[in-house]
Amino acid sequence: MDIDDLSATNETSIIGMLRGSQSVEAPIIRTEDVFDASDPALTLMGGGVPFSPRRLIFVDGFVWQTFGDRIQEYFSARGLEATFHPIDLAEHDKNITQLIQVLTLIDEFEPLRRSEPILVIGGGVLLDVVGLACAVFRRGSPYIRVPTTLLGQVDAGIGLKTGVNFGRGKNRLGAYHPPLATILDSQFLSTLPARQLANGLAEMIKVAIACDAALFASLEAYLNTGSRDLSRGEALEHLVDRAAASMVAELSANPFEAELARTVDFGHSFGPAIELEESLGLLHGESVAIDASLSSAIALERGILSTSDFKRIRDLILGAGLPLDHVGITAEQLFQGLLQATRHRNGKQNLPVPHSCGGVTFVQDCTVDEVARALELIRRGHA
């Protein structure tokens, strides 16, 4: 029954209808040095809000060790009274307990509702936890995101979603809460170890396969140079900007997920289940890469994806230093992940599989046997 059916009955009547809409503006800003005192990006307030000099800042512990002096100097030079909370978070810390701890710190700070935006400087886990805290504190507090990992700059720091893990589900609790801005700065990437860089490349590859053939070709060229330096340089910055822009374009058409068949869910159907299995020790991007590999193998087996494009996808994943598989995972485990995703997608699999290196189609009838065959194809090495 919908509302029209309800209003047509004799027993009930509608006495009023609350209507409204919310426009969303969440700019992605590129800066050369976010901690240069001449750069005002971190002091954004939002339109028409009176200025207040206080700021509450959550910052990743490693970033604080590396950039702490410069961060303090920045806010001092800009005349802001900053309260800093360095926090170290990993995926297993992304839970209600940590959310409550962040909310307690916000409550103790007692920010003005609009004039004292909260800043979060760190990786994807910190962005998600603090973002959700800002979403629920006073039903929505303004905040600014500064992602400091490659993954954060192309995925977790893009879009409106915040969340924490709960029960068996990744990001099972969350909210849509747009930041005042997301600020990208390449200087953070030079501090990352190779595995974290590959972790972020996985999300760039995901976007490329799902919806950006030109980005796919650019990533192929970048990863095949032989002399590339993944941690710095204009080439990587351009790729980050292209991947972020492609994500923004896809999300802007469906920002609140009214449509549950989403191209950007590529790599996120089987992956979340294995990512949350601590014994496997997989990072988010590594689980995305395995998911992308499996989904591509399913497409190959169905005749949706050509052998040549399957090889291109496989080689790109391997070239980024990412896994195609993990010895500890099973077809049943992967299929259980798809069942979880199906519930999240309101009963439809909406499984994105590539039809090329730059586009996906949706499958609704994948079976556990099909997953097993695809996994075997990967493990025997498709030539």
Side-chain angles (χ1 to χ4, degrees):
M1 176 178 286
D2 62 25
I3 194 67
D4 292 330
D5 297 325
L6 181 64
S7 63
T9 65
N10 293 326
E11 294 82 8
T12 61
S13 63
I14 298 173
I15 62 172
M17 182 72 74
L18 180 63
R19 299 183 187 276
S21 62
Q22 180 182 2
S23 63
V24 175
E25 291 187 355
I28 315 297
I29 299 171
R30 162 68 65 189
T31 184
E32 294 303 316
D33 183 358
V34 72
F35 302 132
D36 184 333
S38 65
D39 188 331
L42 290 177
T43 65
L44 290 172
M45 298 290 297
V49 176
F51 177 79
S52 173
R54 295 198 318 149
R55 293 294 183 276
L56 175 63
I57 301 161
F58 294 94
V59 57
D60 172 81
F62 175 77
V63 173
W64 182 251
Q65 291 178 3
T66 307
F67 296 96
D69 290 342
R70 293 202 64 215
I71 296 172
Q72 292 179 83
E73 290 169 2
Y74 174 90
F75 287 99
S76 176
R78 301 289 305 187
L80 294 169
E81 302 168 16
T83 298
F84 301 99
H85 287 292
I87 299 179
D88 289 309
L89 295 183
E91 187 67 30
H92 62 266
D93 301 310
K94 194 177 174 181
N95 52 42
I96 292 179
T97 299
Q98 188 61 57
L99 174 66
I100 295 299
Q101 291 177 359
V102 170
L103 283 167
T104 299
L105 293 172
I106 295 174
D107 193 46
E108 290 173 351
F109 183 79
E110 296 185 324
L112 295 175
R113 190 169 185 181
R114 295 288 181 264
S115 299
E116 295 173 350
I118 294 164
L119 276 69
V120 52
I121 305 171
V125 173
L126 187 62
L127 297 181
D128 279 350
V129 174
V130 176
L132 181 55
C134 292
V136 300
F137 190 79
R138 296 198 180 108
R139 301 187 186 91
S141 298
Y143 73 118
I144 295 170
R145 297 186 296 207
V146 183
T148 60
T149 62
L150 184 55
L151 182 70
Q153 293 191 6
V154 298
D155 180 57
I158 309 298
L160 310 183
K161 293 194 291 187
T162 67
V164 297
N165 303 333
F166 180 74
R168 293 179 297 166
K170 182 174 173 63
N171 293 324
R172 185 64 55 83
L173 304 181
Y176 300 99
H177 187 47
L180 295 179
T182 296
I183 303 171
L184 305 185
D185 185 340
S186 293
Q187 69 176 314
F188 299 114
L189 304 184
S190 65
T191 69
L192 299 177
R195 190 182 180 195
Q196 282 294 338
L197 288 165
N199 192 38
L201 280 169
E203 283 290 349
M204 298 170 71
I205 292 170
K206 174 208 79 173
V207 173
I209 297 171
C211 59
D212 194 336
L215 176 62
F216 191 99
S218 295
L219 284 167
E220 282 183 314
Y222 179 66
L223 293 173
N224 287 332
T225 61
S227 61
R228 71 187 187 278
D229 182 349
L230 293 179
S231 67
R232 59 179 62 85
E234 290 186 6
L236 178 58
E237 186 173 297
H238 290 322
L239 289 170
V240 168
D241 289 352
R242 176 62 185 249
S246 292
M247 274 289 286
V248 168
E250 289 294 316
L251 296 175
S252 293
N254 185 30
F256 298 104
E257 298 185 24
E259 172 56 58
L260 296 179
R262 306 189 325 137
T263 59
V264 291
D265 279 341
F266 177 69
H268 292 71
S269 298
F270 306 103
I274 58 176
E275 181 185 353
L276 290 181
E277 181 56 60
E278 290 190 31
S279 64
L280 298 177
L282 292 169
L283 298 178
H284 176 72
E286 292 165 345
S287 73
V288 168
I290 292 171
D291 189 313
S293 171
L294 185 71
S295 298
S296 299
I298 290 170
L300 177 67
E301 288 281 277
R302 286 187 174 225
I304 296 171
L305 184 69
S306 69
T307 300
S308 60
D309 279 350
F310 177 79
K311 289 180 177 179
R312 288 179 69 194
I313 291 171
R314 178 200 62 187
D315 291 347
L316 188 62
I317 292 171
L318 291 173
L322 291 159
L324 300 173
D325 179 29
H326 189 290
V327 67
I329 62 178
T330 66
E332 178 62 32
Q333 184 182 27
L334 291 164
F335 190 72
Q336 286 300 315
L338 180 59
L339 292 179
Q340 288 284 337
T342 300
R343 285 187 277 273
H344 186 64
R345 298 165 188 169
N346 201 41
K348 291 187 176 182
Q349 286 186 355
N350 290 338
L351 171 62
V353 301
H355 58 68
S356 63
C357 300
V360 297
T361 189
F362 294 95
V363 167
Q364 305 293 352
D365 56 353
C366 182
T367 67
V368 65
D369 290 339
E370 190 172 13
V371 172
R373 290 195 300 272
L375 190 60
E376 177 59 26
L377 183 152
I378 294 166
R379 286 179 172 171
R380 70 172 182 259
H382 187 84

